[in-house]
Amino acid sequence: MAVQETPRKVELGVYQRPDQEPKITMTEVIAALLSLLWLALSAGFFMIVGKGSNDFDSIRFVMMLIAIFMPVSMIWVGALAVRAARTMREESYRLHTAISAMRQSYLSQQAGSTPNAALEKKLEDIAAAQRRTESALAMFTAVRPGQTPPEDKLAIPAPELVENQASLELGTPSESLAPPLSVADFIKAMNFPETAEDKEGFRALRRALSDRKVSQLIHAAQDVLTLLSQDGIYMDDLHPDRAKPDVWRRFAKGERGATVAPLGGVKDRASLALASARMRQDAIFRDAVHHFLRKFDKTFAEFETTATDEEIAALTDTRTARGFMLLGRVTGTFE
């Protein structure tokens, strides 16, 4: 004879069906006893005290019904309220259990997805390294034999200044007396000094500030970068996609639209959102941004005429150029 196996309880977690609630609970039993007691007291009262005239009085009859059945109805209303409260407590407990289980499930999924997140980060690092390698290759392959070293090459061509330098008269501005700015110093100045001990960076910055055109761009860049830092936006945190020097040359020549869209390579959503919101709300910031964009556009157009691809790639990796790419995308300059 086969032994009948006791069926095991299926664990359904928060979706487990609750135990069947009895149809008649202690609350209903107490309510029924109280109702019978009241009806008995009411019947006894009318049997003992209710003797009197046999004439039918409708008002008296209605009052008697109210006196008998109103307390009974109130008893049962209270019983139903107690049962509803108990049901709500049970539903609240089940809901709390369900939320706790969902939270545990979410945490488990997050823990299980950690390797995927690490893999994605590694892939992003590989892609960033690939972009840096491509930029470095572009810079090295752009070097041509016989090119003027960046230390000796002028950043902003000014032949008329060089020709007239020997015939300067009294009262000539001090900017005209300063030596022409080299490409190397111009690029270093556009990146600003790295630290307070960066003597070479400060030297290049002082030389750039002695140039009237470049100093205007430096002051404009310093203003917008300071304002952006107030919102926690720092150029060192931005890692934009690098555009080819040919795209920058097209922009310098006045092209706009899809051909120069890669210049807006900043993909940091938080920085874009913060800068866009401040452009709408802060008039001072908006004026400073437009002034900076105009100065950068004009200065770069002059710089591009004699710059090599290597020099353009180096300039576009500076803090000033990153600010231009960020704000240019926010304002739609590249469209």
Side-chain angles (χ1 to χ4, degrees):
M1 179 178 178
V3 179
Q4 185 177 2
E5 184 179 1
T6 304
R8 291 177 297 177
K9 183 178 180 181
V10 180
E11 296 294 334
L12 298 178
V14 296
Y15 302 104
Q16 182 179 358
R17 183 182 297 276
D19 296 336
Q20 187 67 29
E21 185 179 356
K23 295 181 179 180
I24 300 176
T25 63
M26 185 58 66
T27 303
E28 282 77 8
V29 173
I30 294 174
L33 293 176
L34 290 175
S35 300
L36 293 176
L37 178 60
W38 177 255
L39 292 175
L41 292 175
S42 299
F45 175 79
F46 286 109
M47 289 178 61
I48 297 173
V49 183
K51 296 180 179 179
S53 175
N54 293 326
D55 297 337
F56 179 77
D57 187 354
S58 59
I59 296 178
R60 183 171 177 270
F61 178 74
V62 171
M63 295 299 294
M64 290 172 57
L65 292 179
I66 293 175
I68 295 172
F69 294 106
M70 178 63 75
V72 175
S73 62
M74 294 301 296
I75 291 172
W76 283 102
V77 167
L80 293 177
V82 171
R83 183 163 187 170
R86 184 175 62 253
T87 303
M88 291 298 295
R89 285 196 300 269
E90 294 174 355
E91 291 295 333
S92 176
Y93 174 77
R94 285 196 290 270
L95 180 61
H96 176 73
T97 306
I99 293 174
S100 299
M102 292 174 64
R103 180 175 178 274
Q104 293 296 330
S105 176
Y106 174 76
L107 294 176
S108 300
Q109 291 179 0
Q110 289 293 101
S113 62
T114 301
N116 294 333
L119 179 59
E120 292 179 359
K121 186 178 184 303
K122 289 183 179 180
L123 292 176
E124 292 178 358
D125 294 340
I126 293 173
Q130 184 178 4
R131 288 194 296 268
R132 289 193 296 268
T133 303
E134 291 176 354
S135 301
L137 288 175
M139 293 173 61
F140 284 116
T141 56
V143 179
R144 299 289 187 273
Q147 286 183 346
T148 304
E151 293 78 7
D152 301 331
K153 185 177 179 181
L154 297 182
I156 307 298
E160 68 281 357
L161 179 61
V162 178
E163 293 174 1
N164 299 333
Q165 205 167 19
S167 60
L168 294 175
E169 300 177 357
L170 294 177
T172 303
S174 60
E175 292 84 355
S176 301
L177 299 175
L181 182 65
S182 67
V183 171
D185 289 339
F186 174 68
I187 294 175
K188 288 180 181 178
M190 290 295 99
N191 197 46
F192 294 99
E194 296 289 345
T195 62
E197 291 76 23
D198 186 5
K199 296 181 180 180
E200 188 67 20
F202 281 105
R203 183 192 63 79
L205 184 61
R206 284 193 296 270
R207 289 189 178 182
L209 290 174
S210 66
D211 186 285
R212 183 177 59 85
K213 293 181 180 180
V214 178
S215 65
Q216 294 177 358
L217 173 59
I218 290 177
H219 288 308
Q222 186 178 13
D223 291 340
V224 295
L225 296 186
T226 301
L227 293 172
L228 287 172
S229 66
Q230 295 174 357
D231 290 333
I233 304 174
Y234 299 96
M235 298 303 102
D236 291 344
D237 298 334
L238 302 181
H239 303 284
D241 295 339
R242 301 288 296 277
K244 296 180 179 179
D246 181 61
V247 179
W248 284 97
R249 294 187 187 278
R250 292 182 180 180
F251 176 79
K253 291 179 172 58
E255 291 189 27
R256 298 295 183 269
T259 56
V260 297
L263 299 186
V266 177
K267 301 297 178 62
D268 192 315
R269 295 183 180 180
S271 300
L272 291 170
L274 289 172
S276 179
R278 189 161 187 181
M279 281 289 294
R280 294 192 300 268
Q281 300 170 3
D282 191 341
I284 296 177
F285 178 75
R286 185 164 56 248
D287 293 340
V289 167
H290 289 306
H291 177 67
F292 165 68
L293 294 178
R294 287 193 300 269
K295 289 298 179 183
F296 188 94
D297 190 359
K298 183 177 179 180
T299 305
F300 181 76
E302 297 179 5
F303 171 79
E304 180 271 336
T305 55
T306 58
T308 63
D309 289 350
E310 177 192 12
E311 293 163 351
I312 291 177
L315 176 64
T316 57
D317 196 30
T318 62
R319 295 185 178 96
T320 300
R322 293 178 189 176
F324 177 75
M325 287 185 277
L326 171 66
L327 298 173
R329 180 171 179 178
V330 169
T331 57
T333 302
F334 309 126
E335 297 177 357

